[in-house]
Structures are given as C-alpha cells and as structure tokens.
Amino acid sequence: MPEKEAWAYQLDWLNIVTILGLDSIDQVSEDKRIRVTKKLSKLYDSESLLSFKPQELDELVASELKNLMEKELRIHAKQKERIQKQMKNRMPSFKQPGVIPIDMNDLKNLPDEIKKMLSKMFMQNEGDDDKDDDGDNYSEDNNSYYI
C-alpha cells in the first residue's frame, strides 16, 4: 500500500461492517474496499485523513461503502427481513399465558409408555358428568358458567 494510503491501517473493518449492518467482512468485496480507499485518498490528502479520529474515519469509509454498495445492502436487508418473518412464523405465539399449541403429529413419535400415561390423564374424567348443576331449582341458563 502506498504511503498516501497509510491511513487505511487505522480502519476498524469490524466496526465498518457493523455500521453497514452486514454480518461479516466477506460481504464487502476486496475490490470495493480498495476503490473506497483510493477514492478517499483522492478526495482528501493523507495528512487530513491521518488527523481524523478512528471512529470518524470508520464512519467516513462506511458512508462511501454505503453509496457504493446500495444494491447489495438492499438485498441483504430484504433477505434479513424475510428470515426474521420465517423465524417468527415458526415460533409458537405466546399470546395466552399458559397455553402452548401442540402439534398432534409430534405426539405420534412418543414412546408407548408416555402415550399410555397421557391417555390415562386425559381420559380419566371422560365418564364424570357435571351432576352439581342438575339439581338447581332456578330457571337460569344451565348451558353457561357465570363468574
């Protein structure tokens, strides 16, 4: 690297990648990194670039890369949004506390002992009729529960 681009050694590429919202440095191609450093070297002299604080220099490079990589950043943002939607759709919703949706196909793969235990738990109250409400002398609606 020529002396006039010595300021490029101060760059924190991890910070630049974070500013751009990318996942890894591999998403920024080497030729684009070189083009940005050459462009900034032409716009500013090396002394002024060396006088910048490292954070300011990273932001300057990130803004130039953002202009250069508009299409790639848009595609990356859409892809990230699509992945988040897919993950949200796959995760069960916990809108009602204590209620977890159960996929009955998952119960088919359980061992026989657990199936028998669940069957006993759920079928135990099957023959139990609610005989408490049958003796009411009131002419209220017997089909609903009131709190």
Side-chain angles (χ1 to χ4, degrees), residues 28-40:
V28 181
S29 63
E30 185 68 31
D31 64 326
K32 290 186 181 176
R33 287 184 252 170
I34 292 170
R35 283 174 50 191
V36 165
T37 55
K38 285 183 180 179
K39 182 178 180 181
L40 289 175

Side-chain angles (χ1 to χ4, degrees), residues 9-23:
Y9 289 112
Q10 293 182 359
L11 295 176
D12 182 8
W13 283 101
L14 182 61
N15 188 24
I16 294 169
V17 167
T18 306
I19 291 170
L20 291 174
L22 298 173
D23 298 324

Side-chain angles (χ1 to χ4, degrees), residues 80-90:
K80 206 172 205 180
E81 186 177 310
R82 183 174 39 95
I83 289 172
Q84 286 177 349
K85 282 183 182 178
Q86 286 177 352
M87 291 300 291
K88 185 178 178 183
N89 289 337
R90 288 183 185 173

Side-chain angles (χ1 to χ4, degrees), residues 6 8 15 21 26 29-30 40 46 61 69 76 83 90 93 96 114 126 141 145:
N15 188 24
D26 296 331
S29 63
E30 185 68 31
L40 289 175
S46 62
V61 171
M69 298 178 58
H76 179 72
I83 289 172
R90 288 183 185 173
S93 64
Q96 297 176 350
I114 296 176
E126 188 175 292
D141 184 14
Y145 292 102

Side-chain angles (χ1 to χ4, degrees), residues 14-68:
L14 182 61
N15 188 24
I16 294 169
V17 167
T18 306
I19 291 170
L20 291 174
L22 298 173
D23 298 324
S24 71
I25 188 69
D26 296 331
Q27 291 175 317
V28 181
S29 63
E30 185 68 31
D31 64 326
K32 290 186 181 176
R33 287 184 252 170
I34 292 170
R35 283 174 50 191
V36 165
T37 55
K38 285 183 180 179
K39 182 178 180 181
L40 289 175
S41 293
K42 287 179 185 177
L43 290 175
Y44 304 100
D45 62 337
S46 62
E47 291 177 17
S48 65
L49 286 170
L50 286 171
S51 67
F52 283 138
K53 293 179 182 177
Q55 179 66 25
E56 294 172 344
L57 200 57
D58 292 345
E59 289 174 3
L60 182 65
V61 171
S63 68
E64 286 296 323
L65 271 174
K66 193 173 193 176
N67 293 336
L68 190 62

Side-chain angles (χ1 to χ4, degrees), residues 65-119:
L65 271 174
K66 193 173 193 176
N67 293 336
L68 190 62
M69 298 178 58
E70 285 182 42
K71 184 178 178 182
E72 291 93 342
L73 291 174
R74 236 182 293 122
I75 290 171
H76 179 72
K78 286 180 183 177
Q79 188 177 27
K80 206 172 205 180
E81 186 177 310
R82 183 174 39 95
I83 289 172
Q84 286 177 349
K85 282 183 182 178
Q86 286 177 352
M87 291 300 291
K88 185 178 178 183
N89 289 337
R90 288 183 185 173
M91 296 297 290
S93 64
F94 295 110
K95 293 176 184 174
Q96 297 176 350
V99 177
I100 300 174
I102 298 174
D103 187 9
M104 295 308 281
N105 292 328
D106 293 339
L107 296 178
K108 291 178 182 178
N109 300 331
L110 291 174
D112 290 335
E113 298 86 30
I114 296 176
K115 285 182 188 177
K116 289 178 184 178
M117 181 186 72
L118 290 173
S119 175

